[in-house]
Amino acid sequence: MPSLAVLSVFVPTFLFVSLTPGMCMTLAMVLGMTQGVKRALWMMVGELLGVGLVAFAAGAGVAALMLKLPALFAVFKWVGGAYLFYLGIQMWRSRGRMAIPDDLSGVAPTARKELAMQGFVTAVANPKGWAFFVALLPPFLDASRPFIGQLLVLIVMILAIEFGALMLYASGGKSLRHLLAKGGNVRLLNRVAGTLMLGVGLWLAFG
């Protein structure tokens, strides 16, 4: 278990970073709008798996090697970004399974596996995320303590913080959905969500 001195710095640092708007948080807000918080949990499962993988790789030193393989990141980035961009266009046009129909009770849920894959790819295909964990995670590991035990505890704490931030953004998206829907602005809601999804796709591909 890391010392209290380490945790007193670790928790605020990662809490601040998780709450900062980014690709994963924007995706959570979009899905909160279009699919609801409960359905967005499946995206969060995939995203947390991806974050856990990246954090473990960073702690083990694997991330340093991955950052030297830009071609591998390029494949993830372009494929993932193109798919999210396509979803954004569909939502902007009020089409596809993720768009909100005029009858809000009739929204077609996106497959759980598809939502989880969106979250996983968004987390793993972000080079900035890898660089962030390489820069911030290792300094919190004490060489005089058992390595694996420390790393696993810190990763669990990172995932807990990340989950809380994702829930906050998804809940905000759900609130926005209800706000716009009351005025009959479902098309506007689709365009807001679609624009955000387009932004995530472009961010992932070109960021």
Side-chain angles (χ1 to χ4, degrees):
M1 182 72 180
S3 67
L4 291 178
V6 169
L7 294 180
S8 66
V9 178
F10 177 85
V11 173
T13 298
F14 280 84
L15 180 61
F16 174 77
V17 173
S18 291
L19 289 174
T20 302
M23 289 188 294
C24 293
M25 297 305 147
T26 305
L27 184 59
M29 185 167 64
V30 171
L31 293 180
M33 276 192 276
T34 60
Q35 299 290 307
V37 176
K38 185 177 180 180
R39 200 75 186 175
L41 287 171
W42 290 99
M43 182 282 292
M44 297 179 198
V45 170
E47 196 268 350
L48 292 175
L49 285 174
V51 168
L53 176 63
V54 173
F56 185 84
V62 178
L65 174 62
M66 292 292 290
L67 289 172
K68 295 179 181 179
L69 300 174
L72 182 61
F73 275 125
V75 173
F76 274 110
K77 286 173 53 146
W78 282 98
V79 173
Y83 178 63
L84 294 178
F85 190 84
Y86 166 77
L87 290 178
I89 292 176
Q90 291 289 87
M91 293 163 69
W92 175 267
R93 301 173 64 189
S94 296
R95 297 180 180 179
R97 285 179 297 171
M98 291 189 65
I100 303 171
D102 292 332
D103 178 10
L104 290 178
S105 64
V107 62
T110 302
R112 297 171 178 176
K113 184 184 296 186
E114 184 177 342
L115 292 171
M117 186 56 65
Q118 286 179 29
F120 182 80
V121 170
T122 302
V124 174
N126 182 11
K128 291 180 181 178
W130 288 80
F132 165 75
F133 279 113
V134 167
L136 285 186
L137 185 56
F140 288 102
L141 296 170
D142 188 346
S144 65
R145 295 170 176 262
F147 173 76
I148 293 298
Q150 285 185 86
L151 181 59
L152 292 179
V153 169
L154 292 179
I155 289 176
V156 168
M157 297 183 70
I158 289 171
L159 296 183
I161 293 170
E162 185 79 357
F163 177 70
L166 289 169
M167 285 294 294
L168 185 63
Y169 275 82
S171 299
K174 183 180 179 181
S175 299
L176 182 59
R177 166 180 172 152
H178 288 312
L179 179 65
L180 292 178
K182 285 181 179 178
N185 296 317
V186 175
R187 181 176 293 275
L188 174 60
L189 181 58
N190 275 324
R191 290 188 173 182
V192 170
T195 299
L196 291 172
M197 186 69 84
L198 286 169
V200 175
L202 290 173
W203 194 350
L204 183 58
F206 296 103

